[in-house]
Amino acid sequence: MEKGLEIIEGLRGHTTGYAVPTYVIDAPGGGGKIPLQPSYMMGRDGDHVVLRNYEGNVYRYPDPLPTTGECG
C-alpha cells in the first residue's frame, strides 16, 4: 500500500488531475473498494489547518472549529 500511495503522490502536481488514477483496495469479505489517498492534512494549529502540498511545502489555512453548546 505504501508504494501505491507513493506513486499516486508522485503524479500529483506533475500531471493533470484527470490523469491521476484513484488508488483503491478491495476489502476482503465483501467490504468493497476503499479509496486511498496520500495525507496532505498535517494537523491543526488553533483556528488553522496545517497542510502540505505535493512539493512538501507547508501552509496554514484558516478553518476555525465550530462552537458547540451555544444558543442564539
Side-chain angles (χ1 to χ4, degrees):
M1 285 192 292
E2 294 298 321
K3 185 62 176 177
L5 288 170
E6 183 182 317
I7 291 168
I8 295 298
E9 189 167 12
L11 292 171
R12 291 256 163 86
H14 301 284
T15 186
T16 177
Y18 293 117
V20 179
T22 300
Y23 180 48
V24 300
I25 298 292
D26 192 1
K33 293 177 180 68
I34 301 169
L36 299 178
Q37 297 294 318
S39 178
Y40 294 101
M41 183 173 168
M42 299 175 67
R44 295 192 70 86
D45 183 14
D47 283 346
H48 289 81
V49 176
V50 181
L51 308 167
R52 71 171 178 83
N53 70 359
Y54 69 95
E55 294 178 315
N57 297 324
V58 177
Y59 300 91
R60 290 171 34 98
Y61 186 82
D63 183 33
L65 290 171
T67 56
T68 58
E70 296 181 6
C71 296

